[in-house]
Amino acid sequence: MQRVVLITGASSGIGRATALAFARQNYHVVGVARRAERLQQLADDIATLPAPHGDFLPITGDVTSADDMQNAVQQTLARFGRLDVLVANAGLGQRGALVETAWQDIEMVMRTNIDGVLHSIRATVPAIRQSGGGHILIISSVAASLVSPYAAMYAASKAFVSSLAQSLRIELASDKIFVTDFLVGRTDTEFNEKRLGEGKRTGGGLPTMSAETVAAALVKTAFTHKRSVTLRLFDKLIVLGNKLIPGIMGELAKRQYR
Ligand SMILES: NC(=O)c1ccc[n+]([C@@H]2O[C@H](COP(=O)([O-])OP(=O)(O)OC[C@H]3O[C@@H](n4cnc5c(N)ncnc54)[C@H](OP(=O)(O)O)[C@@H]3O)[C@@H](O)[C@H]2O)c1
């Protein structure tokens, strides 16, 4: 029996690297994103991996649409007959003073980072249940616990999904579905250049990891009981610092993000 993983935001960055990593482990992979041509490139790359590898099903869809996510699950079941793992990864950054930010940008962050994760979970859980259990890996961020002036919306959207992960973990335990909150730190992807709002600055000098590092950790975490994963010491210190000295951390973030 080959396991099946559905990854949202598979057309670039962490999602794309994660699709390749799961396919190398012989999982069948379903990749959902809006850019069809990027998914086709990924399909070509997976097809040329050394055997054995899983198959790839590209699905053009938008996570902000409940119908698109339901359709993605239907297509998954029609092609592979089961679903074992969800990587709720699609997401978008945003910076700028909350009051001056265009509502359109705020709405886009909420629709993508919050509604998108909710639609992904609500569409996939019945199928994962049918398969006898599995794993939901939620891509949050170290920003979830960040005191982050000028990045408040993004941080709050990630706090939402991290909070969701903690409660869902218990809610879905009787279905044998593990839930892990993945607190990702700065990663080299298209994320910075696509970020909405002010400043495309990357916060120069901060350590950056590769999407492949995050992808490898996601594959390793699947079907473990890990409640939360933070990959690097640097990121663990950020999370701890925001709990212990939020005022000082907030002032540092203010200088960096303004
Ligand atoms: N990079 C970092 O430093 C960092 C740090 C912490 C957390 N994260 C989180 O990691 C996740 C992945 O980001 P990334 O760094 O890999 O950035 P990325 O390269 O920009 O990838 C984002 C992915 O999300 C997809 N996406 C965006 N909106 C979508 C929508 N409405 N429907 C379907 N797919 C959508 C994009 O595909 P399409 O445009 O083709 O739809 C793309 O595949 C995000 O949740 C982000 O918040 C990133």
Side-chain angles (χ1 to χ4, degrees):
M1 183 266 298
Q2 266 175 283
R3 282 175 166 159
V4 181
V5 56
L6 186 150
I7 302 166
T8 65
S11 59
S12 65
I14 294 167
R16 178 186 153 82
T18 303
L20 283 158
F22 271 108
R24 279 195 196 95
Q25 295 302 312
N26 216 13
Y27 278 73
H28 291 316
V29 179
V30 181
V32 181
R34 293 164 302 178
R35 289 172 296 175
E37 70 293 349
R38 290 291 200 98
L39 290 177
Q40 191 48 53
Q41 274 171 22
L42 176 59
D44 296 343
D45 291 345
I46 288 180
T48 55
L49 286 174
H53 62 78
D55 294 341
F56 181 65
L57 173 64
I59 297 179
T60 310
D62 189 326
V63 292
T64 68
S65 156
D67 287 349
D68 278 11
M69 291 315 299
Q70 293 291 346
N71 170 51
V73 171
Q74 275 166 23
Q75 285 194 51
T76 302
L77 296 178
R79 169 77 179 269
F80 298 121
R82 60 183 296 117
L83 178 62
D84 301 281
V85 180
L86 164 69
V87 183
N89 165 72
L92 181 69
Q94 185 270 334
R95 289 240 184 103
L98 184 73
V99 176
E100 275 79 48
T101 295
W103 178 252
Q104 204 182 319
D105 284 5
I106 291 180
E107 204 167 27
M108 182 76 148
V109 174
M110 290 195 292
R111 298 285 86 88
T112 309
N113 296 3
I114 297 177
D115 296 13
V117 171
L118 290 170
H119 292 321
S120 304
I121 292 169
R122 284 162 57 86
T124 53
V125 162
I128 300 176
R129 272 187 188 134
Q130 254 179 48
S131 306
H135 206 136
I136 294 175
L137 297 152
I138 296 183
I139 306 302
S140 183
S141 165
V142 290
S145 59
L146 220 58
V147 181
S148 41
Y150 309 107
M153 257 315 295
Y154 177 70
S157 74
K158 290 302 185 182
F160 181 100
V161 296
S162 282
S163 167
L164 197 74
Q166 304 307 325
S167 302
L168 266 187
R169 181 179 168 77
I170 296 170
E171 199 169 305
L172 296 176
S174 57
D175 293 314
K176 300 190 178 59
I177 302 176
F178 306 121
V179 180
T180 304
D181 182 25
F182 232 81
L183 300 173
V184 176
R186 194 171 293 274
T187 308
D188 187 16
T189 66
E190 297 171 8
F191 183 78
N192 281 320
E193 72 197 56
K194 288 195 296 208
R195 189 167 49 222
L196 300 176
E198 294 163 9
K200 302 296 172 195
R201 285 170 302 137
T202 58
L206 292 182
T208 301
M209 55 191 160
S210 70
E212 287 70 27
T213 300
V214 181
L218 283 162
V219 171
K220 213 169 139 195
T221 303
F223 294 98
T224 68
H225 290 264
K226 287 190 175 148
R227 189 169 61 83
S228 175
V229 172
T230 311
L231 288 176
R232 302 173 300 181
L233 178 63
F234 178 76
D235 296 328
K236 288 178 185 157
L237 290 175
I238 288 184
V239 172
L240 191 66
N242 276 283
K243 277 192 189 128
L244 298 180
I245 44 166
I248 295 170
M249 296 298 282
E251 285 301 326
L252 290 173
K254 184 170 151 188
R255 246 178 271 162
Q256 191 189 321
Y257 292 156
R258 182 147 53 187

